[in-house]
Amino acid sequence: MKIRNFSIILLGFLSVFPKEISAQPTPNPETANWMSSPAIIGTVLLIVTVLLIAIFILTVKASAYFSQLESKTEKNRKNEFGERLLDMNEAEIDTILEKRKKAAHYRLFGSELGSDLEVEDSRGIIAGVTHEPNNPLVDEKKKSPITYDTPFQLKKIITWYIGASVFWLVFGTLIGQYLGLKFLWPEMDSVSWLSFGRLRPVHTNAVFWGWASLTMIGLGHFVITRTSNNILYSYRLAWYAWWLMNLSVTIGTLFLMSGINNGGGEYREYIWPVALLFALGIIITFYNFYQTVARRKIEEIYVSNWYLLGGLGWTIILVIIGYLPMYQDGLGETVIQGYYMHQGVGMWFMTFTLGLIYYYLPSSLNKPIYSYSLGVLAFWTQMLFYTLIGTHHFVFSPLPWWLQTVAIVFSAGMLIPVVAGTTNFLMTMRGSWNEITKSYVLPFFLVGVVFYFVGSAQGSLQAFRFTNFVWHFTDFNVAHSHMTMYGIITFILWACVYAILPKLTGREPRQLLVGMHFWMAFIGLFAYMVSLMVGGTLKGLSWIEGEPFIQSVILMQPFWLWRAIGGTLMFISHLLFAYNFYVMTGSQKQTVENPTGITPGMGIPASNKQGLKNETVTF
Amino acid sequence: MLDFHKNHKLLVGTAMFGFFVLSILVALMPAFQIQQTQPLPTMEGFSEEELNGLHIYVQENCMSCHTQQVRNIEMDNSWGKRPSIPSDYYFSKQRQDLWRQSPSLLGSERTGPDLTNAGQRQPGMEWHLLHLYNPRIVVKESIMPSYPWLFELKEESKIKDTDYLVAVPQKFIHASNKKVVASKKALDLVAYLQSLKQAEMPQNPAVGFIPSSKKIEPRNNGGDAVLPDGEKLYMNNCAACHQAEGGGLAGAFPSLIGSPIINDENPETLIRIILEGYDARPEFGVMPGFQETLSDEEVAAIANHERSNWGNTAGAVTLDEVKEIRSFVNSLKQ
């Protein structure tokens, strides 16, 4: 019933854009009225949505801060009280002790609530409750409550996967930042290994395969064991995969910098022997996860595992199709390129990350997911729609017109899994909004989920033919890919890392630094995105006007500057994240090894010292 | 029966099978089909140098900023005379070798100009070499990287006869007593770039641009007929060499400021140079002819722009004059 209502809403939504969906070969539209194009209005609305939500979070935080300022006066009162105590003479103290003696022997009559007696509350037990935050600037967040008892082996694997990925994040975005600056100072260096063309794929591949993939797989190891209620099938295989994948990204990076490039197709710039290492890593992980699920100790397969196994399995097929040569001469390569680069994002990063949300979001909120069936609906529609839309990267190209049309139509269809997923996550959060201000994990989730809707819906709108007129080939594409790979994937992964690592190691990051990480990444992303979107639109319009090409380069300069500023904020936030990771895992040696290594967490209190200390703090 | 949530074999099997079937429909099948495309009869394969050049193009990943596809919408008309068709890629998109696949030439970003017709638009070798050594020598605002590792710096005494000397202005060379010599790689890359030309379509082409409904406002440039915007045309076709302000580049491209040819009362020589190109002065690079690419109106507009700017004060050229000269040029050919 729920689903039926939901599809009716969706159909209504789709009918707003009938022209775009029917995807006829429409002639060039009037660019003079480009502002009133439904797809452009849609995009603007979506961006405004995120902005409003950011303003909402800021307002809530600000109001919390102001009420905290008010409580300062309360604090002063308390200090005065303390000083008075110190100044007391013997006689006064005697009086108080007398009073105390009386109170100790005092017995209730049973009619106090109805009486006119005033409460004697000289110690401020009732009136003087204040928080005394460690930090005077920001609201104090909740501590991570439970420490899971996890086999030491698994803890180590998860930590090392995330650790390697943190390295690749810092490395990959350092390269990205450097590339962004090259738009402003093209003469920064003239070293062949650092030239723009060679470094660009180094950046994309390092953050794709190094950062996002390794974190995802690391986090996946926890989900797969926990929801199967069993230990991992093989720890050794997990380590093999770790080595293979890191090796692949390392060699691939060196090869790309030295000019060994598979052919420039985005995200498959690694030549096949290097990509094979990565593919083997994924195949091993798939086998390991599959066997773990096959040996699960509960009957049902939790919906997260659908996504994890689906994502791994689809990616294996995808990489094989992407690299086999028999059909890739001439434009055959381009057909595969559209398919590969889109599914790389859709079937791997998005699918796997969704699986992670289905576990980490409800577990952070300590409540079940809103709807299992919506998750299942989203799973199958993800497979059906996402697979068909790769060619929307090649609208108006010499690829078959029917293929382009299919891609555009199903891009609109992507709204079904996206709305289903978003609804599911937001309904899970519903009723727990006040938790968000108290948690340092949930804001990451909220931003990720909102961007899941905004970024995906915006992507669907971008596939339409009119928007392709204005935006294709411009910097708008770069903005879109950062909105999704960063706004969705990276924010969700950060949420999951902050949600799980303190529970595994018993060490929490400093909340102020997590807050700074969050806001710098978010504001940085916004500056990055909006500047490139506005600049990209102006660039497209300049091309339509038929102005000399170099004009479009000149007009982009201020927008590239803003992009670099946003990028700098993002990069600094990654350094903070790396430091937070170090704090969360820093002294692994203190952790006492779980001697049996086979009791997957069943709520048994942690055996290590840090964990116990943590518990006394929260309870 | 459909107990996906309890049967992991069924779940994973169905998901992977479903994805595979969809992949066949949407990727493998169209890819196999479009791979059957044959080249146009007017197309020629690459020479050895050009093929080497293509591989350097891939090695430096030029595709990350330059597209090679003319889309079938009118705004792309400036990049080619017709939309790209699958046959265009027959020779360029072949597997490179055992290790590397067919290059992804179509691209997804147009941070730099489209190169489908780069050889037609910009055929001068001298220009390409200068531009590769440092793009800002010829295009002041360019943000393209320099490729100094495709060149050698040599002392004048060590230069051999076979070396290809590039006339880089001194201020762009850090070692002041040296000269820039193009390496084989640079020459190959330029050979490839020069080979980028849209092949002629056979009789009555089936592909055309989706027309723009935007109305182009005609502007009167002072001539008798209504001519297109000469400044825009000059920027698109001439400014790369002669520069936006007409000053040219010493040692490579002549200045148009105060040039006797431009300021000649009789515009015949100027118009003939625009149409046929020019290679009479050995100290400068070769100028290509624009007979094929520019219409009479456009030639007149460019000539007028050149004759009335940067201190040049010659009278306007009329459309009829251009027509007359073009038919004269054509009659010479026959």
Side-chain angles (χ1 to χ4, degrees):
Chain A
M1 198 52 210
K2 218 178 277 160
I3 291 171
R4 188 177 305 158
N5 283 340
F6 157 78
S7 7
I8 290 167
I9 295 168
L10 193 76
L11 281 177
F13 188 67
L14 292 182
S15 62
V16 180
F17 310 110
K19 214 165 148 193
E20 276 74 11
I21 287 163
S22 60
Q24 292 303 306
T26 45
N28 278 14
E30 286 275 0
T31 46
N33 303 326
W34 64 276
M35 286 283 266
S36 58
S37 149
I40 297 211
I41 292 174
T43 302
V44 172
L45 282 180
L46 289 169
I47 306 295
V48 170
T49 315
V50 188
L51 196 59
L52 287 179
I53 287 171
I55 291 171
F56 171 73
I57 300 181
L58 256 185
T59 321
V60 172
K61 300 239 158 179
S63 79
Y65 174 57
F66 286 123
S67 58
Q68 193 198 330
L69 279 185
E70 280 172 19
S71 71
K72 281 268 163 67
T73 33
E74 200 87 348
K75 196 176 156 194
N76 290 339
R77 209 179 56 80
K78 266 188 76 182
N79 286 346
E80 276 171 30
F81 176 71
E83 278 166 25
R84 217 179 65 216
L85 278 183
L86 291 176
D87 293 341
M88 278 179 187
N89 57 32
E90 293 262 319
E92 271 177 306
I93 291 172
D94 282 347
T95 343
I96 291 170
L97 288 178
E98 283 292 319
K99 249 185 183 171
R100 176 74 198 108
K101 202 173 169 187
K102 233 171 88 187
H105 296 286
Y106 182 75
R107 292 285 172 273
L108 292 172
F109 306 116
S111 60
E112 282 80 2
L113 286 176
S115 72
D116 296 333
L117 292 173
E118 271 190 47
V119 179
E120 208 183 308
D121 184 26
S122 51
R123 289 196 299 169
I125 290 171
I126 296 167
V129 177
T130 51
H131 303 286
E132 215 167 336
N134 299 327
N135 193 301
L137 285 176
V138 287
D139 209 4
E140 188 85 342
K141 308 285 186 192
K142 258 194 195 166
K143 297 271 181 189
S144 241
I146 308 156
T147 355
Y148 291 135
D149 189 28
T150 310
F152 178 74
Q153 288 272 34
L154 185 65
K155 279 187 191 178
K156 200 171 159 192
I157 285 168
I158 296 170
T159 315
W160 275 82
Y161 266 94
I162 297 175
S165 79
V166 172
F167 168 77
W168 289 118
L169 175 71
V170 172
F171 171 79
T173 50
L174 176 67
I175 302 279
Q177 174 67 1
Y178 191 65
L179 289 171
L181 293 177
K182 285 205 163 198
F183 280 84
L184 300 166
W185 297 289
E187 293 282 347
M188 271 170 78
D189 70 74
S190 45
V191 183
S192 62
W193 281 48
L194 298 179
S195 74
F196 184 89
R198 294 194 191 179
L199 274 192
R200 186 182 188 259
V202 171
H203 163 66
T204 51
N205 285 289
V207 294
F208 271 37
W209 311 122
W211 151 243
S213 303
L214 284 176
T215 312
M216 275 160 36
I217 293 177
L219 293 164
H221 277 93
F222 186 80
V223 176
I224 212 94
T225 49
R226 188 107 182 142
T227 55
S228 298
N229 201 11
N230 200 349
I231 56 163
L232 193 66
Y233 172 67
S234 162
Y235 294 121
R236 185 186 295 222
L237 286 180
W239 285 112
Y240 286 158
W242 188 91
W243 279 106
L244 283 168
M245 288 190 277
N246 278 300
L247 200 63
S248 169
V249 183
T250 311
I251 300 178
T253 299
L254 292 174
F255 274 16
L256 285 176
M257 288 172 94
S258 66
I260 301 173
N261 185 325
N262 188 33
E266 280 165 308
Y267 321 137
R268 47 175 183 161
E269 287 100 339
Y270 291 170
I271 55 171
W272 67 261
V274 181
L276 184 67
L277 295 177
F278 200 89
L280 284 176
I282 291 191
I283 291 172
I284 291 174
T285 309
F286 174 72
Y287 179 70
N288 207 2
F289 280 18
Y290 180 82
Q291 292 296 344
T292 308
V293 170
R295 285 163 171 70
R296 69 188 179 279
K297 286 187 183 155
I298 49 173
E299 200 182 6
E300 292 199 358
I301 307 168
Y302 182 60
V303 69
S304 275
N305 298 342
W306 291 45
Y307 283 86
L308 300 193
L309 290 176
L312 285 162
W314 293 337
T315 308
I316 293 169
I317 299 178
L318 181 73
V319 173
I320 294 172
I321 292 181
Y323 273 89
L324 283 181
M326 294 86 81
Y327 37 80
Q328 301 218 36
D329 286 334
L331 283 191
E333 186 274 339
T334 309
V335 174
I336 300 296
Q337 178 59 29
Y339 163 84
Y340 176 86
M341 74 169 148
H342 202 80
Q343 264 59 259
V345 175
M347 312 321 277
W348 176 233
F349 296 107
M350 202 61 247
T351 306
F352 204 102
T353 303
L354 284 172
L356 296 177
I357 307 181
Y358 277 105
Y359 173 76
Y360 286 103
L361 177 66
S363 80
S364 305
L365 288 168
N366 201 18
K367 55 166 43 165
I369 191 81
Y370 170 69
S371 160
Y372 195 94
S373 8
L374 267 183
V376 170
L377 170 82
F379 177 80
W380 294 117
T381 42
Q382 172 101 354
M383 179 187 88
L384 178 63
F385 294 155
Y386 228 128
T387 313
L388 300 176
I389 63 183
T391 309
H392 72 200
H393 291 263
F394 292 100
V395 174
F396 297 123
S397 78
L399 290 191
W401 193 255
W402 70 264
L403 203 59
Q404 299 179 27
T405 306
V406 166
I408 294 170
V409 171
F410 282 92
S411 295
M414 269 310 289
L415 283 169
I416 295 175
V418 168
V419 173
T422 313
T423 313
N424 213 351
F425 304 140
L426 289 179
M427 292 306 277
T428 308
M429 289 187 197
R430 199 180 68 156
S432 311
W433 298 117
N434 56 347
E435 295 276 317
I436 288 175
T437 53
K438 288 189 205 136
S439 155
Y440 56 85
V441 172
L442 290 170
F444 284 98
F445 270 121
L446 182 64
V447 167
V449 167
V450 170
F451 267 117
Y452 176 49
F453 175 71
V454 170
S456 310
Q458 190 272 322
S460 296
L461 295 177
Q462 201 176 339
F464 296 151
R465 288 204 166 98
F466 174 75
T467 33
N468 250 280
F469 259 88
V470 185
W471 289 337
H472 195 44
F473 293 147
T474 70
D475 295 64
F476 199 100
N477 290 349
V478 183
H480 171 74
S481 61
H482 283 80
M483 179 153 132
T484 48
M485 278 306 292
Y486 198 85
I488 308 174
I489 309 287
T490 301
F491 266 85
I492 295 287
L493 293 180
W494 281 331
C496 299
V497 170
Y498 282 129
I500 192 65
L501 267 188
K503 294 181 186 176
L504 291 184
T505 62
R507 294 168 63 91
E508 287 209 275
R510 284 181 56 192
Q511 295 184 350
L512 179 66
L513 292 181
V514 180
M516 281 170 69
H517 169 201
F518 174 80
W519 284 106
M520 286 177 99
F522 186 69
I523 294 169
L525 173 63
F526 230 87
Y528 190 111
M529 229 171 64
V530 172
S531 59
L532 286 191
M533 285 180 162
V534 174
T537 310
L538 294 177
K539 194 184 208 181
L541 291 172
S542 149
W543 290 347
I544 294 176
E545 288 300 314
E547 287 175 9
F549 184 84
I550 195 73
Q551 281 304 325
S552 67
V553 177
I554 296 167
L555 79 83
M556 280 303 292
Q557 290 294 342
F559 300 103
W560 282 328
L561 177 64
W562 273 107
R563 182 261 292 275
I565 293 169
T568 309
L569 285 174
M570 288 151 79
F571 179 65
I572 295 173
S573 83
H574 303 161
L575 294 178
L576 292 172
F577 173 61
Y579 178 75
N580 289 340
F581 172 79
Y582 169 73
V583 171
M584 286 188 279
T585 55
S587 50
Q588 277 289 292
K589 280 168 200 152
Q590 282 184 20
T591 320
V592 179
E593 202 171 328
N594 184 342
T596 53
I598 45 158
T599 37
M602 299 295 291
I604 305 159
S607 52
N608 65 60
K609 202 175 129 201
Q610 289 289 340
L612 285 174
K613 192 177 155 204
N614 194 12
E615 280 203 335
T616 48
V617 170
T618 26
F619 293 122
Chain B
M1 192 190 87
L2 286 173
D3 51 349
F4 289 118
H5 60 298
K6 287 179 185 163
N7 185 341
H8 54 271
K9 279 184 193 151
L10 183 69
L11 172 67
V12 173
T14 313
M16 287 181 74
F17 179 74
F19 179 71
F20 186 60
V21 168
L22 289 169
S23 299
I24 290 177
L25 287 176
V26 85
L28 292 180
M29 227 177 58
F32 267 118
Q33 225 165 36
I34 205 161
Q35 191 180 234
Q36 309 303 318
T37 311
Q38 291 302 307
L40 292 172
T42 44
M43 283 169 70
E44 284 170 30
F46 287 116
S47 71
E48 201 190 316
E49 287 81 24
E50 288 164 356
L51 194 63
N52 285 340
L54 170 62
H55 290 170
I56 293 162
Y57 187 86
V58 174
Q59 173 188 319
E60 300 301 338
N61 200 12
C62 305
M63 301 79 76
S64 63
C65 294
H66 294 284
T67 52
Q68 283 191 34
Q69 51 169 319
V70 179
R71 295 172 297 169
N72 55 355
I73 47 180
E74 202 175 299
M75 67 184 272
D76 267 24
N77 202 350
S78 49
W79 301 120
K81 47 189 186 294
R82 59 168 173 82
S84 299
I85 54 169
S87 300
D88 290 338
Y89 303 94
Y90 182 84
F91 293 109
S92 57
K93 282 174 66 56
Q94 296 289 336
R95 193 169 177 84
Q96 299 173 73
D97 50 35
L98 173 64
W99 309 105
R100 296 172 304 164
Q101 64 161 32
S102 144
S104 254
L105 293 174
L106 276 77
S108 60
E109 285 286 307
R110 213 172 253 172
T111 310
D114 184 273
L115 298 183
T116 308
N117 226 5
Q120 185 80 47
R121 191 168 64 235
Q122 193 50 270
M125 189 159 185
E126 189 68 16
W127 185 90
H128 274 300
L129 288 170
L130 281 169
H131 188 245
L132 281 176
Y133 184 75
N134 186 331
R136 280 152 294 282
I137 298 174
V138 282
V139 185
K140 210 166 66 244
E141 300 87 353
S142 170
I143 58 158
M144 179 170 137
S146 321
Y147 291 90
W149 58 93
L150 298 179
F151 298 83
E152 278 174 83
L153 280 178
K154 278 192 179 175
E155 280 171 36
E156 204 141 4
S157 55
K158 290 182 182 161
I159 294 170
K160 285 174 267 172
D161 287 349
T162 48
D163 284 347
Y164 196 101
L165 218 62
V166 188
V168 177
Q170 271 307 323
K171 67 168 179 170
F172 288 95
I173 307 176
H174 300 301
S176 55
N177 55 344
K178 293 187 173 169
K179 296 275 176 204
V180 178
V181 173
S183 73
K184 168 120 188 0
K185 281 187 168 180
L187 295 172
D188 286 348
L189 181 54
V190 171
Y192 169 67
L193 292 171
Q194 287 180 310
S195 78
L196 291 171
K197 287 173 189 162
Q198 277 192 316
E200 284 299 327
M201 287 285 271
Q203 295 300 302
N204 89 68
V207 279
F209 290 101
I210 300 173
S212 165
S213 55
K214 189 164 63 86
K215 284 177 194 69
I216 297 164
E217 283 173 34
R219 202 164 112 190
N220 198 325
N221 273 23
D224 297 332
V226 175
L227 296 177
D229 184 348
E231 187 182 354
K232 212 182 250 184
L233 286 164
Y234 176 84
M235 289 303 296
N236 278 337
N237 294 289
C238 321
C241 293
H242 293 294
Q243 303 295 300
E245 294 306 317
L249 203 68
F253 313 115
S255 166
L256 305 181
I257 301 170
S259 145
I261 295 176
I262 304 266
N263 289 300
D264 193 346
E265 196 99 336
N266 180 0
E268 190 186 334
T269 321
L270 172 62
I271 293 169
R272 280 193 65 173
I273 290 178
I274 296 177
L275 290 173
E276 296 178 291
Y278 196 61
D279 188 20
R281 295 170 67 180
E283 72 268 34
F284 292 123
V286 184
M287 172 168 162
F290 289 86
Q291 216 164 357
E292 307 292 325
T293 41
L294 295 177
S295 69
D296 293 338
E297 288 81 359
E298 289 167 333
V299 172
I302 288 174
N304 282 335
H305 178 74
E306 291 174 348
R307 283 159 74 89
S308 60
N309 275 289
W310 324 304
N312 295 339
T313 52
V317 175
T318 62
L319 186 56
D320 291 338
E321 284 174 300
V322 180
K323 279 191 176 137
E324 203 176 303
I325 293 166
R326 190 192 285 263
S327 62
F328 173 67
V329 168
N330 285 341
S331 70
L332 283 184
K333 258 198 271 181
Q334 284 149 13

